[in-house]
Amino acid sequence: MTGKITVLYVEDNRLNRLLVRRVLEADGFEVVEAESAAQALASISEKVPHLILMDINMPEIDGYTLTNRLRQNPKIQGVPIVAMTANVMKGDRERTLEAGCDGYIQKPIDVDILSEQLKNFLSEVGDGG
Ligand code: MN
């Protein structure tokens, strides 16, 4: 892939957004933030990212619902959606997959491996060139 990899990070918590932006930018990603589902939809209509990092617990529209909605958009078909959730109860992983996520990263995030985790999702899904 040439140029920067763009990650859309959908997250209602400002401190999480700051942390993830700092980590991913340090590793050469371009980070676009959305603090709500509405902002995410607006952002995607402007520019389709290479990967979407999706917080699950958000007020109003949660990450499951938003992912479900995004998967109905043909422009997003090939874009990996990675859930981020502190919910680690049995069934949560299945629920993220059912909603249309490609996988999930457990919160709290491990800043040392986050970029590597995202690159793995990009190589799994976006293997078209
Ligand atoms: Mn949240």
Side-chain angles (χ1 to χ4, degrees), residues 32-118:
V32 177
E33 296 174 19
E35 62 178 68
S36 66
Q39 274 192 16
L41 292 167
S43 173
I44 286 165
S45 70
E46 296 266 312
K47 185 185 180 184
V48 176
H50 294 102
L51 182 145
I52 299 169
L53 197 51
M54 178 72 71
D55 181 33
I56 292 299
N57 295 312
M58 295 189 289
E60 296 167 33
I61 299 173
D62 69 16
Y64 296 121
T65 309
L66 177 58
T67 298
N68 204 277
R69 191 173 297 182
L70 291 177
R71 281 302 180 216
Q72 294 166 41
N73 180 345
K75 285 188 344 189
I76 310 300
Q77 296 297 334
V79 178
I81 302 179
V82 180
M84 280 183 119
T85 177
N87 304 339
V88 289
M89 287 187 300
K90 205 178 166 200
D92 285 328
R93 178 181 164 78
E94 288 71 16
R95 203 171 163 204
T96 61
L97 299 178
E98 276 166 24
C101 294
D102 295 278
Y104 80 106
I105 291 174
Q106 206 165 298
K107 280 182 173 178
I109 59 161
D110 183 339
V111 297
D112 293 326
I113 62 169
L114 178 64
S115 296
E116 221 38 59
Q117 288 174 311
L118 296 193

Side-chain angles (χ1 to χ4, degrees), residues 11-29:
E11 166 70 76
D12 61 311
N13 182 290
R14 190 179 64 89
L15 293 178
N16 286 346
R17 292 202 306 274
L18 285 171
L19 174 65
V20 166
R21 171 183 285 282
R22 201 169 59 203
V23 170
L24 292 183
E25 284 185 347
D27 284 329
F29 291 88

